[in-house]
Amino acid sequence: MAAPLPENLFGPGCAALPGDGPGSLAAMGTGPVLAAIDQAKDLTQLSALIKTAKAKDMFDSMDNVTVFAPNDAAFAKLTDDQKKALTTQPGASDLVRRLIVARDLRKADLQDKQYTSLQGAVLGATGSGEDYRIGGAQVLCGSIKTTNARLAVLDTVPALS
Protein backbone atom coordinates (compact mmCIF):
# COMPACT_ATOMS: atom_id res chain seq x y z
CA MET A 1 0.00 0.00 0.00
CA ALA A 2 1.38 3.39 -1.00
CA ALA A 3 2.09 5.99 1.64
CA PRO A 4 -0.50 8.77 1.81
CA LEU A 5 0.33 11.93 -0.11
CA PRO A 6 0.95 15.20 1.73
CA GLU A 7 -2.25 17.19 2.29
CA ASN A 8 -1.21 20.09 0.10
CA LEU A 9 -0.83 17.96 -3.05
CA PHE A 10 -3.81 17.58 -5.33
CA GLY A 11 -4.73 16.05 -8.64
CA PRO A 12 -5.33 12.59 -10.08
CA GLY A 13 -1.70 12.06 -11.10
CA CYS A 14 -0.02 12.59 -7.70
CA ALA A 15 -0.33 8.93 -6.72
CA ALA A 16 1.80 7.98 -9.76
CA LEU A 17 4.86 9.85 -8.44
CA PRO A 18 7.69 7.52 -7.39
CA GLY A 19 7.78 6.74 -3.67
CA ASP A 20 11.51 7.41 -3.49
CA GLY A 21 14.48 8.25 -5.68
CA PRO A 22 14.56 10.65 -8.64
CA GLY A 23 11.19 12.28 -9.29
CA SER A 24 9.83 11.48 -5.84
CA LEU A 25 8.41 14.22 -3.63
CA ALA A 26 11.34 13.88 -1.25
CA ALA A 27 13.89 14.25 -4.04
CA MET A 28 12.09 17.16 -5.73
CA GLY A 29 11.65 19.00 -2.43
CA THR A 30 15.35 19.18 -1.64
CA GLY A 31 16.42 21.23 -4.65
CA PRO A 32 15.33 24.04 -6.95
CA VAL A 33 12.49 23.66 -9.43
CA LEU A 34 14.80 23.15 -12.41
CA ALA A 35 16.42 20.16 -10.68
CA ALA A 36 12.94 18.75 -9.98
CA ILE A 37 11.96 19.14 -13.64
CA ASP A 38 15.22 17.56 -14.79
CA GLN A 39 14.70 14.45 -12.64
CA ALA A 40 10.99 13.87 -13.33
CA LYS A 41 10.63 11.09 -15.88
CA ASP A 42 7.57 12.60 -17.55
CA LEU A 43 8.95 16.18 -17.86
CA THR A 44 11.79 15.48 -20.32
CA GLN A 45 10.28 17.66 -23.05
CA LEU A 46 9.92 20.61 -20.67
CA SER A 47 13.51 20.12 -19.52
CA ALA A 48 14.67 20.19 -23.16
CA LEU A 49 12.53 23.29 -23.82
CA ILE A 50 14.17 25.13 -20.91
CA LYS A 51 17.59 24.28 -22.33
CA THR A 52 16.56 25.50 -25.81
CA ALA A 53 15.25 28.71 -24.22
CA LYS A 54 18.59 29.16 -22.43
CA ALA A 55 16.54 29.79 -19.29
CA LYS A 56 18.69 28.01 -16.68
CA ASP A 57 19.83 31.29 -15.09
CA MET A 58 16.24 32.52 -14.93
CA PHE A 59 15.13 29.31 -13.18
CA ASP A 60 18.08 29.40 -10.80
CA SER A 61 17.24 32.97 -9.74
CA MET A 62 13.48 32.46 -9.24
CA ASP A 63 11.88 32.40 -5.82
CA ASN A 64 8.27 31.96 -4.68
CA VAL A 65 6.91 31.33 -8.16
CA THR A 66 4.64 28.67 -9.63
CA VAL A 67 5.73 26.71 -12.68
CA PHE A 68 3.00 25.04 -14.72
CA ALA A 69 4.80 22.05 -16.21
CA PRO A 70 3.23 20.28 -19.19
CA ASN A 71 4.17 16.61 -19.16
CA ASP A 72 5.63 14.77 -22.14
CA ALA A 73 2.17 13.62 -23.28
CA ALA A 74 1.09 17.29 -23.40
CA PHE A 75 3.94 18.15 -25.78
CA ALA A 76 3.01 15.14 -27.94
CA LYS A 77 -0.43 16.73 -28.53
CA LEU A 78 1.07 19.81 -30.21
CA THR A 79 0.87 20.22 -33.96
CA ASP A 80 4.00 19.89 -36.07
CA ASP A 81 4.05 23.68 -36.58
CA GLN A 82 3.78 24.30 -32.83
CA LYS A 83 6.58 21.82 -32.14
CA LYS A 84 8.76 23.44 -34.81
CA ALA A 85 8.25 26.90 -33.26
CA LEU A 86 9.57 25.53 -29.95
CA THR A 87 12.87 24.42 -31.50
CA THR A 88 14.06 28.05 -31.71
CA GLN A 89 15.38 29.98 -28.72
CA PRO A 90 12.77 32.79 -29.06
CA GLY A 91 9.86 30.33 -29.40
CA ALA A 92 11.05 28.18 -26.50
CA SER A 93 11.70 31.24 -24.33
CA ASP A 94 8.23 32.62 -25.05
CA LEU A 95 6.54 29.40 -23.94
CA VAL A 96 8.74 28.92 -20.87
CA ARG A 97 7.84 32.43 -19.68
CA ARG A 98 4.12 31.69 -20.30
CA LEU A 99 4.32 28.76 -17.90
CA ILE A 100 5.56 30.75 -14.89
CA VAL A 101 3.52 32.94 -12.56
CA ALA A 102 5.37 35.14 -10.06
CA ARG A 103 3.32 33.90 -7.11
CA ASP A 104 3.43 30.85 -4.89
CA LEU A 105 0.03 29.42 -5.86
CA ARG A 106 -1.65 26.73 -3.82
CA LYS A 107 -4.82 24.75 -4.47
CA ALA A 108 -7.11 27.41 -2.96
CA ASP A 109 -5.54 30.04 -5.24
CA LEU A 110 -6.71 28.17 -8.35
CA GLN A 111 -10.44 28.51 -7.83
CA ASP A 112 -11.84 30.77 -10.54
CA LYS A 113 -9.04 33.31 -10.71
CA GLN A 114 -6.73 34.73 -13.34
CA TYR A 115 -2.97 35.19 -13.20
CA THR A 116 -0.51 36.90 -15.50
CA SER A 117 2.51 34.88 -16.53
CA LEU A 118 6.05 36.25 -16.80
CA GLN A 119 5.46 36.47 -20.56
CA GLY A 120 2.31 38.57 -20.02
CA ALA A 121 -0.25 35.91 -20.94
CA VAL A 122 -3.37 35.71 -18.77
CA LEU A 123 -3.91 32.20 -17.44
CA GLY A 124 -7.38 31.37 -16.20
CA ALA A 125 -7.56 29.02 -13.22
CA THR A 126 -10.72 27.06 -12.47
CA GLY A 127 -11.59 24.12 -10.32
CA SER A 128 -12.81 22.47 -7.18
CA GLY A 129 -12.39 19.14 -5.44
CA GLU A 130 -9.60 17.36 -7.34
CA ASP A 131 -10.32 18.84 -10.80
CA TYR A 132 -8.32 22.01 -11.39
CA ARG A 133 -7.43 23.56 -14.73
CA ILE A 134 -4.98 26.22 -15.89
CA GLY A 135 -5.77 27.68 -19.28
CA GLY A 136 -7.87 24.60 -20.00
CA ALA A 137 -5.10 22.16 -19.06
CA GLN A 138 -5.88 19.74 -16.23
CA VAL A 139 -3.57 19.86 -13.23
CA LEU A 140 -2.44 16.23 -12.92
CA CYS A 141 -0.46 16.90 -9.75
CA GLY A 142 -0.29 20.32 -8.17
CA SER A 143 1.49 21.99 -5.28
CA ILE A 144 4.77 20.06 -5.57
CA LYS A 145 7.08 22.17 -3.41
CA THR A 146 10.72 22.70 -4.36
CA THR A 147 13.21 24.94 -2.57
CA ASN A 148 12.41 27.95 -4.78
CA ALA A 149 9.06 27.30 -6.45
CA ARG A 150 5.84 25.34 -6.55
CA LEU A 151 5.33 22.96 -9.49
CA ALA A 152 2.08 21.83 -11.08
CA VAL A 153 2.18 19.07 -13.73
CA LEU A 154 -0.32 19.58 -16.57
CA ASP A 155 -1.83 17.29 -19.21
CA THR A 156 -1.81 19.95 -21.97
CA VAL A 157 0.37 22.89 -22.96
CA PRO A 158 -1.97 25.71 -21.85
CA ALA A 159 -0.38 28.59 -23.77
CA LEU A 160 -0.90 26.82 -27.10
CA SER A 161 -4.14 25.00 -26.50
Side-chain angles (χ1 to χ4, degrees):
M1 185 171 175
L5 294 170
E7 278 181 39
N8 59 335
L9 285 186
F10 65 95
C14 292
L17 292 173
D20 59 9
S24 68
L25 291 174
M28 289 191 283
T30 61
V33 69
L34 186 54
I37 291 168
D38 285 344
Q39 67 177 280
K41 67 177 175 125
D42 64 341
L43 298 179
T44 62
Q45 294 297 311
L46 179 59
S47 180
L49 184 75
I50 293 166
K51 288 175 180 73
T52 300
K54 297 181 169 91
K56 181 185 182 318
D57 290 343
M58 179 180 74
F59 274 80
D60 288 345
S61 67
M62 293 189 310
D63 196 30
N64 292 319
V65 301
T66 300
V67 177
F68 296 108
N71 65 11
D72 290 347
F75 282 98
K77 295 176 188 177
L78 298 177
T79 67
D80 288 341
D81 287 344
Q82 289 170 324
K83 289 176 189 175
K84 185 177 179 180
L86 298 178
T87 63
T88 67
Q89 194 272 334
S93 181
D94 186 58
L95 179 55
V96 166
R97 293 173 58 78
R98 284 177 188 236
L99 297 173
I100 302 168
V101 172
R103 289 193 53 195
D104 183 12
L105 301 175
R106 293 174 168 81
K107 184 178 180 178
D109 298 318
L110 302 179
Q111 296 173 351
D112 300 320
K113 299 202 171 130
Q114 292 188 332
Y115 298 97
T116 303
S117 72
L118 294 183
Q119 185 267 353
V122 175
L123 299 173
T126 60
S128 63
E130 289 299 306
D131 185 22
Y132 287 81
R133 296 181 183 273
I134 302 298
Q138 183 179 22
V139 177
L140 297 175
C141 187
S143 209
I144 299 169
K145 187 69 177 137
T146 68
T147 57
N148 68 333
R150 199 166 294 274
L151 186 65
V153 179
L154 306 179
D155 73 342
T156 306
V157 179
L160 301 176
S161 56

